[in-house]
Amino acid sequence: MSTNGKGTIFLSQNGHAAYTSHIPKALRNILQQRQTSLPTPIYVSIGTKARFYVEFEDGKAEWYGPEKLSDCLEVNADLDISNVAFGKLWDTFFVVFSDGSWEYHGKGLPRGLVRLVVEDRRRLSDLATVTLGPRGEWFVVAKNGRSWWGGLSDDLDNVISDVLDEADDEDGKGRVVDFIDFGEKDSYFLIYE
């Protein structure tokens, strides 16, 4: 699942893609014109400014974004992609590879995120997921399941506080935030246990 606030796309385990009308036009064309005999999409990320990344079962991918993203993906072509996130400025992105290593670029990368991954965590190569939002929002999950976030709207911050304060009815343990994706106009998807 990926959203940019205007559009949202869902991929099912059988490779079917369901999406709203406002996903990037080039991505919609790729998905609509793709022959059913070709490998299905297994991962997709959309951002604002028509940016996207889509990967297929055969490992091939297509994307639209800044030139530095193309450079990053080409230099690291031997690594599998875990996720690609697009930030608030055209040139801002963060790529996480399946081995936990990562690269980022762009003037619009949130300082809190950079501080976390570069200074606090000393460039550890143990990331599983990073998402970015169009207003400086960010969310990180390490391979051990620990998560961090920042730059949230007051509304989302309050929602997460309420979620984390709830006890799980089954075992009495607190809730855990598994995933947040951000879109325009303070829209978001929040997944928690």
Side-chain angles (χ1 to χ4, degrees), residues 41-71:
I42 58 169
Y43 173 76
V44 66
S45 176
I46 60 176
T48 57
K49 305 172 187 358
R51 296 169 295 173
F52 71 88
Y53 175 90
V54 61
E55 186 173 323
F56 300 95
E57 282 180 311
D58 60 359
K60 292 183 180 173
E62 296 192 41
W63 60 88
Y64 176 72
E67 187 175 327
K68 292 283 186 181
L69 174 61
S70 295
D71 295 344

PDB file of all heavy atoms in Angstrom, residues 41-71:
ATOM      1  N   PRO A  41       3.379  -6.799 -10.383  1.00  0.00           N
ATOM      2  CA  PRO A  41       4.060  -5.913  -9.438  1.00  0.00           C
ATOM      3  C   PRO A  41       4.062  -6.519  -8.029  1.00  0.00           C
ATOM      4  O   PRO A  41       3.068  -7.107  -7.596  1.00  0.00           O
ATOM      5  CB  PRO A  41       3.233  -4.627  -9.481  1.00  0.00           C
ATOM      6  CG  PRO A  41       1.916  -4.999 -10.042  1.00  0.00           C
ATOM      7  CD  PRO A  41       2.136  -6.217 -10.878  1.00  0.00           C
ATOM      8  N   ILE A  42       5.201  -6.372  -7.345  1.00  0.00           N
ATOM      9  CA  ILE A  42       5.301  -6.882  -5.975  1.00  0.00           C
ATOM     10  C   ILE A  42       5.554  -5.765  -4.968  1.00  0.00           C
ATOM     11  O   ILE A  42       5.427  -5.963  -3.761  1.00  0.00           O
ATOM     12  CB  ILE A  42       6.405  -7.948  -5.831  1.00  0.00           C
ATOM     13  CG1 ILE A  42       7.764  -7.381  -6.248  1.00  0.00           C
ATOM     14  CG2 ILE A  42       6.044  -9.201  -6.618  1.00  0.00           C
ATOM     15  CD1 ILE A  42       8.944  -8.270  -5.892  1.00  0.00           C
ATOM     16  N   TYR A  43       5.931  -4.582  -5.456  1.00  0.00           N
ATOM     17  CA  TYR A  43       6.175  -3.453  -4.568  1.00  0.00           C
ATOM     18  C   TYR A  43       5.934  -2.166  -5.338  1.00  0.00           C
ATOM     19  O   TYR A  43       6.283  -2.058  -6.519  1.00  0.00           O
ATOM     20  CB  TYR A  43       7.619  -3.457  -4.041  1.00  0.00           C
ATOM     21  CG  TYR A  43       7.930  -2.206  -3.251  1.00  0.00           C
ATOM     22  CD1 TYR A  43       7.450  -2.041  -1.959  1.00  0.00           C
ATOM     23  CD2 TYR A  43       8.647  -1.161  -3.822  1.00  0.00           C
ATOM     24  CE1 TYR A  43       7.677  -0.869  -1.248  1.00  0.00           C
ATOM     25  CE2 TYR A  43       8.893   0.009  -3.119  1.00  0.00           C
ATOM     26  CZ  TYR A  43       8.402   0.144  -1.841  1.00  0.00           C
ATOM     27  OH  TYR A  43       8.625   1.304  -1.146  1.00  0.00           O
ATOM     28  N   VAL A  44       5.336  -1.198  -4.662  1.00  0.00           N
ATOM     29  CA  VAL A  44       5.133   0.113  -5.279  1.00  0.00           C
ATOM     30  C   VAL A  44       5.214   1.192  -4.211  1.00  0.00           C
ATOM     31  O   VAL A  44       4.820   0.980  -3.064  1.00  0.00           O
ATOM     32  CB  VAL A  44       3.784   0.185  -6.029  1.00  0.00           C
ATOM     33  CG1 VAL A  44       2.610   0.090  -5.074  1.00  0.00           C
ATOM     34  CG2 VAL A  44       3.684   1.435  -6.874  1.00  0.00           C
ATOM     35  N   SER A  45       5.763   2.321  -4.613  1.00  0.00           N
ATOM     36  CA  SER A  45       5.799   3.505  -3.758  1.00  0.00           C
ATOM     37  C   SER A  45       5.470   4.705  -4.618  1.00  0.00           C
ATOM     38  O   SER A  45       6.014   4.853  -5.715  1.00  0.00           O
ATOM     39  CB  SER A  45       7.191   3.675  -3.143  1.00  0.00           C
ATOM     40  OG  SER A  45       7.251   4.876  -2.387  1.00  0.00           O
ATOM     41  N   ILE A  46       4.562   5.548  -4.119  1.00  0.00           N
ATOM     42  CA  ILE A  46       4.241   6.770  -4.844  1.00  0.00           C
ATOM     43  C   ILE A  46       4.516   7.967  -3.939  1.00  0.00           C
ATOM     44  O   ILE A  46       4.431   7.878  -2.720  1.00  0.00           O
ATOM     45  CB  ILE A  46       2.788   6.793  -5.377  1.00  0.00           C
ATOM     46  CG1 ILE A  46       1.763   6.669  -4.243  1.00  0.00           C
ATOM     47  CG2 ILE A  46       2.591   5.702  -6.406  1.00  0.00           C
ATOM     48  CD1 ILE A  46       0.316   6.794  -4.712  1.00  0.00           C
ATOM     49  N   GLY A  47       4.872   9.071  -4.576  1.00  0.00           N
ATOM     50  CA  GLY A  47       5.102  10.315  -3.859  1.00  0.00           C
ATOM     51  C   GLY A  47       4.382  11.446  -4.552  1.00  0.00           C
ATOM     52  O   GLY A  47       3.675  11.241  -5.540  1.00  0.00           O
ATOM     53  N   THR A  48       4.572  12.623  -4.032  1.00  0.00           N
ATOM     54  CA  THR A  48       4.037  13.801  -4.703  1.00  0.00           C
ATOM     55  C   THR A  48       4.901  14.093  -5.927  1.00  0.00           C
ATOM     56  O   THR A  48       5.925  13.462  -6.141  1.00  0.00           O
ATOM     57  CB  THR A  48       4.043  15.004  -3.747  1.00  0.00           C
ATOM     58  OG1 THR A  48       5.378  15.213  -3.279  1.00  0.00           O
ATOM     59  CG2 THR A  48       3.113  14.773  -2.560  1.00  0.00           C
ATOM     60  N   LYS A  49       4.483  15.039  -6.720  1.00  0.00           N
ATOM     61  CA  LYS A  49       5.228  15.460  -7.913  1.00  0.00           C
ATOM     62  C   LYS A  49       5.372  14.328  -8.939  1.00  0.00           C
ATOM     63  O   LYS A  49       6.361  14.238  -9.652  1.00  0.00           O
ATOM     64  CB  LYS A  49       6.588  16.044  -7.540  1.00  0.00           C
ATOM     65  CG  LYS A  49       6.509  17.194  -6.552  1.00  0.00           C
ATOM     66  CD  LYS A  49       7.846  17.624  -6.073  1.00  0.00           C
ATOM     67  CE  LYS A  49       7.877  18.642  -4.972  1.00  0.00           C
ATOM     68  NZ  LYS A  49       6.682  19.198  -4.435  1.00  0.00           N
ATOM     69  N   ALA A  50       4.390  13.416  -8.959  1.00  0.00           N
ATOM     70  CA  ALA A  50       4.302  12.308  -9.924  1.00  0.00           C
ATOM     71  C   ALA A  50       5.414  11.262  -9.768  1.00  0.00           C
ATOM     72  O   ALA A  50       5.581  10.406 -10.630  1.00  0.00           O
ATOM     73  CB  ALA A  50       4.255  12.829 -11.362  1.00  0.00           C
ATOM     74  N   ARG A  51       6.168  11.307  -8.675  1.00  0.00           N
ATOM     75  CA  ARG A  51       7.257  10.344  -8.473  1.00  0.00           C
ATOM     76  C   ARG A  51       6.690   8.977  -8.068  1.00  0.00           C
ATOM     77  O   ARG A  51       5.696   8.893  -7.361  1.00  0.00           O
ATOM     78  CB  ARG A  51       8.217  10.853  -7.395  1.00  0.00           C
ATOM     79  CG  ARG A  51       8.919  12.135  -7.800  1.00  0.00           C
ATOM     80  CD  ARG A  51       9.657  12.760  -6.649  1.00  0.00           C
ATOM     81  NE  ARG A  51       8.706  13.187  -5.632  1.00  0.00           N
ATOM     82  CZ  ARG A  51       9.047  13.659  -4.439  1.00  0.00           C
ATOM     83  NH1 ARG A  51      10.309  13.763  -4.097  1.00  0.00           N
ATOM     84  NH2 ARG A  51       8.118  14.043  -3.583  1.00  0.00           N
ATOM     85  N   PHE A  52       7.373   7.924  -8.541  1.00  0.00           N
ATOM     86  CA  PHE A  52       6.976   6.565  -8.176  1.00  0.00           C
ATOM     87  C   PHE A  52       8.129   5.597  -8.398  1.00  0.00           C
ATOM     88  O   PHE A  52       9.095   5.889  -9.113  1.00  0.00           O
ATOM     89  CB  PHE A  52       5.746   6.102  -8.972  1.00  0.00           C
ATOM     90  CG  PHE A  52       6.016   5.841 -10.422  1.00  0.00           C
ATOM     91  CD1 PHE A  52       6.446   4.591 -10.861  1.00  0.00           C
ATOM     92  CD2 PHE A  52       5.837   6.832 -11.373  1.00  0.00           C
ATOM     93  CE1 PHE A  52       6.712   4.348 -12.200  1.00  0.00           C
ATOM     94  CE2 PHE A  52       6.090   6.604 -12.710  1.00  0.00           C
ATOM     95  CZ  PHE A  52       6.529   5.350 -13.129  1.00  0.00           C
ATOM     96  N   TYR A  53       7.985   4.439  -7.781  1.00  0.00           N
ATOM     97  CA  TYR A  53       8.884   3.307  -7.996  1.00  0.00           C
ATOM     98  C   TYR A  53       8.002   2.071  -7.970  1.00  0.00           C
ATOM     99  O   TYR A  53       7.188   1.903  -7.046  1.00  0.00           O
ATOM    100  CB  TYR A  53       9.947   3.226  -6.890  1.00  0.00           C
ATOM    101  CG  TYR A  53      10.826   2.006  -6.998  1.00  0.00           C
ATOM    102  CD1 TYR A  53      12.002   2.040  -7.740  1.00  0.00           C
ATOM    103  CD2 TYR A  53      10.478   0.818  -6.369  1.00  0.00           C
ATOM    104  CE1 TYR A  53      12.808   0.922  -7.856  1.00  0.00           C
ATOM    105  CE2 TYR A  53      11.278  -0.312  -6.485  1.00  0.00           C
ATOM    106  CZ  TYR A  53      12.438  -0.252  -7.224  1.00  0.00           C
ATOM    107  OH  TYR A  53      13.230  -1.361  -7.340  1.00  0.00           O
ATOM    108  N   VAL A  54       8.130   1.202  -8.958  1.00  0.00           N
ATOM    109  CA  VAL A  54       7.391  -0.057  -8.980  1.00  0.00           C
ATOM    110  C   VAL A  54       8.355  -1.179  -9.362  1.00  0.00           C
ATOM    111  O   VAL A  54       9.165  -1.031 -10.272  1.00  0.00           O
ATOM    112  CB  VAL A  54       6.171  -0.006  -9.937  1.00  0.00           C
ATOM    113  CG1 VAL A  54       6.586   0.270 -11.370  1.00  0.00           C
ATOM    114  CG2 VAL A  54       5.350  -1.293  -9.851  1.00  0.00           C
ATOM    115  N   GLU A  55       8.266  -2.282  -8.620  1.00  0.00           N
ATOM    116  CA  GLU A  55       9.110  -3.444  -8.893  1.00  0.00           C
ATOM    117  C   GLU A  55       8.221  -4.645  -9.197  1.00  0.00           C
ATOM    118  O   GLU A  55       7.156  -4.809  -8.595  1.00  0.00           O
ATOM    119  CB  GLU A  55      10.001  -3.744  -7.685  1.00  0.00           C
ATOM    120  CG  GLU A  55      10.999  -4.854  -7.954  1.00  0.00           C
ATOM    121  CD  GLU A  55      11.988  -5.013  -6.818  1.00  0.00           C
ATOM    122  OE1 GLU A  55      12.403  -4.009  -6.227  1.00  0.00           O
ATOM    123  OE2 GLU A  55      12.328  -6.181  -6.533  1.00  0.00           O
ATOM    124  N   PHE A  56       8.704  -5.493 -10.112  1.00  0.00           N
ATOM    125  CA  PHE A  56       7.934  -6.648 -10.555  1.00  0.00           C
ATOM    126  C   PHE A  56       8.571  -7.947 -10.067  1.00  0.00           C
ATOM    127  O   PHE A  56       9.727  -7.952  -9.619  1.00  0.00           O
ATOM    128  CB  PHE A  56       7.827  -6.622 -12.089  1.00  0.00           C
ATOM    129  CG  PHE A  56       7.147  -5.377 -12.579  1.00  0.00           C
ATOM    130  CD1 PHE A  56       7.894  -4.274 -12.977  1.00  0.00           C
ATOM    131  CD2 PHE A  56       5.773  -5.293 -12.617  1.00  0.00           C
ATOM    132  CE1 PHE A  56       7.279  -3.109 -13.405  1.00  0.00           C
ATOM    133  CE2 PHE A  56       5.140  -4.135 -13.039  1.00  0.00           C
ATOM    134  CZ  PHE A  56       5.897  -3.047 -13.437  1.00  0.00           C
ATOM    135  N   GLU A  57       7.825  -9.041 -10.185  1.00  0.00           N
ATOM    136  CA  GLU A  57       8.273 -10.360  -9.699  1.00  0.00           C
ATOM    137  C   GLU A  57       9.633 -10.783 -10.248  1.00  0.00           C
ATOM    138  O   GLU A  57      10.375 -11.485  -9.576  1.00  0.00           O
ATOM    139  CB  GLU A  57       7.252 -11.444 -10.084  1.00  0.00           C
ATOM    140  CG  GLU A  57       6.032 -11.485  -9.225  1.00  0.00           C
ATOM    141  CD  GLU A  57       5.087 -12.590  -9.673  1.00  0.00           C
ATOM    142  OE1 GLU A  57       4.800 -12.670 -10.886  1.00  0.00           O
ATOM    143  OE2 GLU A  57       4.657 -13.356  -8.801  1.00  0.00           O
ATOM    144  N   ASP A  58       9.961 -10.357 -11.435  1.00  0.00           N
ATOM    145  CA  ASP A  58      11.227 -10.767 -12.045  1.00  0.00           C
ATOM    146  C   ASP A  58      12.403  -9.879 -11.621  1.00  0.00           C
ATOM    147  O   ASP A  58      13.512 -10.027 -12.128  1.00  0.00           O
ATOM    148  CB  ASP A  58      11.106 -10.783 -13.566  1.00  0.00           C
ATOM    149  CG  ASP A  58      10.756  -9.429 -14.166  1.00  0.00           C
ATOM    150  OD1 ASP A  58      10.587  -8.444 -13.402  1.00  0.00           O
ATOM    151  OD2 ASP A  58      10.639  -9.357 -15.402  1.00  0.00           O
ATOM    152  N   GLY A  59      12.152  -8.946 -10.693  1.00  0.00           N
ATOM    153  CA  GLY A  59      13.220  -8.067 -10.204  1.00  0.00           C
ATOM    154  C   GLY A  59      13.393  -6.798 -11.014  1.00  0.00           C
ATOM    155  O   GLY A  59      14.136  -5.904 -10.617  1.00  0.00           O
ATOM    156  N   LYS A  60      12.723  -6.701 -12.135  1.00  0.00           N
ATOM    157  CA  LYS A  60      12.811  -5.477 -12.936  1.00  0.00           C
ATOM    158  C   LYS A  60      11.959  -4.394 -12.280  1.00  0.00           C
ATOM    159  O   LYS A  60      10.976  -4.685 -11.607  1.00  0.00           O
ATOM    160  CB  LYS A  60      12.365  -5.734 -14.367  1.00  0.00           C
ATOM    161  CG  LYS A  60      13.319  -6.644 -15.114  1.00  0.00           C
ATOM    162  CD  LYS A  60      12.913  -6.847 -16.538  1.00  0.00           C
ATOM    163  CE  LYS A  60      13.929  -7.777 -17.204  1.00  0.00           C
ATOM    164  NZ  LYS A  60      13.527  -8.150 -18.543  1.00  0.00           N
ATOM    165  N   ALA A  61      12.353  -3.153 -12.504  1.00  0.00           N
ATOM    166  CA  ALA A  61      11.646  -2.038 -11.883  1.00  0.00           C
ATOM    167  C   ALA A  61      11.554  -0.870 -12.851  1.00  0.00           C
ATOM    168  O   ALA A  61      12.335  -0.766 -13.801  1.00  0.00           O
ATOM    169  CB  ALA A  61      12.367  -1.602 -10.618  1.00  0.00           C
ATOM    170  N   GLU A  62      10.590  -0.015 -12.591  1.00  0.00           N
ATOM    171  CA  GLU A  62      10.448   1.236 -13.321  1.00  0.00           C
ATOM    172  C   GLU A  62      10.202   2.326 -12.296  1.00  0.00           C
ATOM    173  O   GLU A  62       9.625   2.077 -11.245  1.00  0.00           O
ATOM    174  CB  GLU A  62       9.297   1.160 -14.321  1.00  0.00           C
ATOM    175  CG  GLU A  62       9.548   0.129 -15.413  1.00  0.00           C
ATOM    176  CD  GLU A  62       8.565   0.242 -16.561  1.00  0.00           C
ATOM    177  OE1 GLU A  62       8.243   1.387 -16.967  1.00  0.00           O
ATOM    178  OE2 GLU A  62       8.123  -0.801 -17.046  1.00  0.00           O
ATOM    179  N   TRP A  63      10.666   3.536 -12.608  1.00  0.00           N
ATOM    180  CA  TRP A  63      10.488   4.630 -11.672  1.00  0.00           C
ATOM    181  C   TRP A  63      10.529   5.951 -12.403  1.00  0.00           C
ATOM    182  O   TRP A  63      10.995   6.058 -13.526  1.00  0.00           O
ATOM    183  CB  TRP A  63      11.554   4.604 -10.579  1.00  0.00           C
ATOM    184  CG  TRP A  63      12.971   4.727 -11.078  1.00  0.00           C
ATOM    185  CD1 TRP A  63      13.674   5.889 -11.296  1.00  0.00           C
ATOM    186  CD2 TRP A  63      13.847   3.661 -11.432  1.00  0.00           C
ATOM    187  NE1 TRP A  63      14.934   5.604 -11.760  1.00  0.00           N
ATOM    188  CE2 TRP A  63      15.070   4.231 -11.847  1.00  0.00           C
ATOM    189  CE3 TRP A  63      13.727   2.267 -11.432  1.00  0.00           C
ATOM    190  CZ2 TRP A  63      16.147   3.465 -12.256  1.00  0.00           C
ATOM    191  CZ3 TRP A  63      14.800   1.506 -11.837  1.00  0.00           C
ATOM    192  CH2 TRP A  63      15.999   2.102 -12.246  1.00  0.00           C
ATOM    193  N   TYR A  64      10.008   6.943 -11.714  1.00  0.00           N
ATOM    194  CA  TYR A  64      10.094   8.322 -12.167  1.00  0.00           C
ATOM    195  C   TYR A  64      10.461   9.148 -10.945  1.00  0.00           C
ATOM    196  O   TYR A  64       9.767   9.098  -9.922  1.00  0.00           O
ATOM    197  CB  TYR A  64       8.767   8.790 -12.755  1.00  0.00           C
ATOM    198  CG  TYR A  64       8.780  10.250 -13.147  1.00  0.00           C
ATOM    199  CD1 TYR A  64       9.505  10.683 -14.250  1.00  0.00           C
ATOM    200  CD2 TYR A  64       8.084  11.196 -12.403  1.00  0.00           C
ATOM    201  CE1 TYR A  64       9.531  12.025 -14.609  1.00  0.00           C
ATOM    202  CE2 TYR A  64       8.105  12.534 -12.756  1.00  0.00           C
ATOM    203  CZ  TYR A  64       8.827  12.936 -13.855  1.00  0.00           C
ATOM    204  OH  TYR A  64       8.866  14.261 -14.202  1.00  0.00           O
ATOM    205  N   GLY A  65      11.572   9.859 -11.063  1.00  0.00           N
ATOM    206  CA  GLY A  65      12.037  10.659  -9.943  1.00  0.00           C
ATOM    207  C   GLY A  65      13.307  11.384 -10.314  1.00  0.00           C
ATOM    208  O   GLY A  65      13.695  11.435 -11.484  1.00  0.00           O
ATOM    209  N   PRO A  66      13.985  11.918  -9.322  1.00  0.00           N
ATOM    210  CA  PRO A  66      15.190  12.695  -9.595  1.00  0.00           C
ATOM    211  C   PRO A  66      16.314  11.833 -10.171  1.00  0.00           C
ATOM    212  O   PRO A  66      16.362  10.621  -9.949  1.00  0.00           O
ATOM    213  CB  PRO A  66      15.573  13.258  -8.222  1.00  0.00           C
ATOM    214  CG  PRO A  66      14.953  12.334  -7.244  1.00  0.00           C
ATOM    215  CD  PRO A  66      13.699  11.833  -7.887  1.00  0.00           C
ATOM    216  N   GLU A  67      17.220  12.476 -10.881  1.00  0.00           N
ATOM    217  CA  GLU A  67      18.349  11.767 -11.486  1.00  0.00           C
ATOM    218  C   GLU A  67      19.193  11.044 -10.436  1.00  0.00           C
ATOM    219  O   GLU A  67      19.703   9.955 -10.676  1.00  0.00           O
ATOM    220  CB  GLU A  67      19.214  12.755 -12.275  1.00  0.00           C
ATOM    221  CG  GLU A  67      20.304  12.090 -13.076  1.00  0.00           C
ATOM    222  CD  GLU A  67      21.060  13.083 -13.934  1.00  0.00           C
ATOM    223  OE1 GLU A  67      20.468  14.063 -14.399  1.00  0.00           O
ATOM    224  OE2 GLU A  67      22.267  12.845 -14.143  1.00  0.00           O
ATOM    225  N   LYS A  68      19.328  11.638  -9.260  1.00  0.00           N
ATOM    226  CA  LYS A  68      20.117  11.015  -8.187  1.00  0.00           C
ATOM    227  C   LYS A  68      19.499   9.682  -7.756  1.00  0.00           C
ATOM    228  O   LYS A  68      20.207   8.778  -7.330  1.00  0.00           O
ATOM    229  CB  LYS A  68      20.250  11.936  -6.979  1.00  0.00           C
ATOM    230  CG  LYS A  68      21.089  13.165  -7.235  1.00  0.00           C
ATOM    231  CD  LYS A  68      22.553  12.829  -7.229  1.00  0.00           C
ATOM    232  CE  LYS A  68      23.385  14.089  -7.330  1.00  0.00           C
ATOM    233  NZ  LYS A  68      24.803  13.836  -7.355  1.00  0.00           N
ATOM    234  N   LEU A  69      18.179   9.533  -7.863  1.00  0.00           N
ATOM    235  CA  LEU A  69      17.551   8.254  -7.557  1.00  0.00           C
ATOM    236  C   LEU A  69      17.994   7.214  -8.580  1.00  0.00           C
ATOM    237  O   LEU A  69      18.360   6.096  -8.215  1.00  0.00           O
ATOM    238  CB  LEU A  69      16.029   8.372  -7.542  1.00  0.00           C
ATOM    239  CG  LEU A  69      15.260   7.060  -7.363  1.00  0.00           C
ATOM    240  CD1 LEU A  69      15.599   6.388  -6.028  1.00  0.00           C
ATOM    241  CD2 LEU A  69      13.762   7.298  -7.477  1.00  0.00           C
ATOM    242  N   SER A  70      17.985   7.577  -9.845  1.00  0.00           N
ATOM    243  CA  SER A  70      18.451   6.650 -10.883  1.00  0.00           C
ATOM    244  C   SER A  70      19.897   6.260 -10.635  1.00  0.00           C
ATOM    245  O   SER A  70      20.256   5.078 -10.732  1.00  0.00           O
ATOM    246  CB  SER A  70      18.306   7.281 -12.269  1.00  0.00           C
ATOM    247  OG  SER A  70      16.953   7.503 -12.567  1.00  0.00           O
ATOM    248  N   ASP A  71      20.728   7.237 -10.287  1.00  0.00           N
ATOM    249  CA  ASP A  71      22.131   6.957  -9.979  1.00  0.00           C
ATOM    250  C   ASP A  71      22.256   5.982  -8.818  1.00  0.00           C
ATOM    251  O   ASP A  71      23.027   5.016  -8.886  1.00  0.00           O
ATOM    252  CB  ASP A  71      22.885   8.246  -9.636  1.00  0.00           C
ATOM    253  CG  ASP A  71      22.985   9.219 -10.799  1.00  0.00           C
ATOM    254  OD1 ASP A  71      22.745   8.799 -11.960  1.00  0.00           O
ATOM    255  OD2 ASP A  71      23.291  10.395 -10.541  1.00  0.00           O
TER     256      ASP A  71
END
